[in-house]
């Protein structure tokens, strides 16, 4: 017995780290459309800055799965979800591997996403806004820069 999704969500990996989750998501939802949002965190202010957005201007209520392996401060996820809301996204689900309690709280308070799916919630953030104990920079790990 199984389930069949009739209205596939749009997959939106947050570049660059979210690219590592895209292949597995497409294995599960091979016919899903994909859009990309690129966010870079300013390491001094911890605020996100968008550098690319290929998501259609009008999503017409279509559901979206945002793929981002780490939810630390929540800034990039909230900014990405806000961008999707401006494009009339339907239900937004943030899918991540690891989260910090501060990021979970910020996401909840912002009401940017409708649902958060995470593998684990770690202890806290350090002063630089990184998850402790964490896994390090997810993009660096995936692309051999760590």
């Amino acid at each position: 017995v199984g389930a069949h999704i009739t209205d596939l969500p749009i997959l939106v990996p947050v570049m660059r780290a979210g690219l590592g989750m895209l292949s597995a998501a497409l294995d599960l939802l091979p016919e899903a459309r994909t859009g990309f949002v690129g966010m870079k965190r300013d390491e001094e202010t911890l605020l996100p800055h968008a550098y690319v957005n290929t998501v259609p201007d009008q999503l017409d209520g279509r559901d979206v799965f945002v793929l981002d392996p780490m939810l630390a401060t929540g800034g990039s996820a909230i900014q990405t979800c806000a961008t999707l809301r401006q494009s009339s996204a339907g239900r937004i689900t943030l899918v991540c591997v690891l989260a910090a309690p501060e990021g979970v709280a910020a996401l909840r308070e912002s009401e940017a996403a409708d649902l958060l799916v995470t593998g684990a919630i770690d202890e806290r953030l350090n002063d630089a806004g990184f998850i402790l104990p964490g896994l390090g920079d997810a993009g660096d790990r995936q692309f051999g820069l760590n």
Side-chain angles (χ1 to χ4, degrees):
V1 178
H4 178 75
I5 299 173
T6 55
D7 293 323
L8 292 173
I10 297 172
L11 304 175
V12 178
V14 180
M15 298 193 312
R16 100 194 131 140
L19 292 174
M21 299 174 70
L22 182 58
S23 178
L26 287 170
D27 285 347
L28 295 171
L29 303 167
E31 296 177 20
R33 290 181 53 206
T34 303
F36 299 90
V37 173
M39 292 282 173
K40 180 167 176 57
R41 181 170 75 166
D42 181 309
E43 296 303 330
E44 289 183 23
T45 66
L46 305 183
L47 297 175
H49 298 281
Y51 63 88
V52 70
N53 177 3
T54 68
V55 176
D57 290 336
Q58 188 52 250
L59 295 174
D60 297 321
R62 296 221 21 222
D63 293 345
V64 178
F65 286 3
V66 176
L67 310 175
D68 196 359
M70 305 289 185
L71 177 63
T73 64
S76 294
I78 292 167
Q79 183 70 30
T80 299
C81 293
T83 299
L84 296 169
R85 290 272 184 233
Q86 290 173 347
S87 295
S88 300
R91 183 181 173 121
I92 297 174
T93 301
L94 175 62
V95 182
C96 59
V97 176
L98 191 60
E102 296 90 337
V104 173
L107 186 68
R108 182 178 292 128
E109 184 177 316
S110 74
E111 299 181 351
D114 298 296
L115 182 65
L116 169 64
V117 177
T118 185
I121 299 175
D122 258 356
E123 292 175 20
R124 62 183 176 88
L125 294 178
N126 67 14
D127 292 339
F130 287 100
I131 300 171
L132 290 179
L135 299 171
D137 184 285
D140 285 355
R141 281 187 166 283
Q142 291 176 68
F143 298 105
L145 301 172
N146 194 1

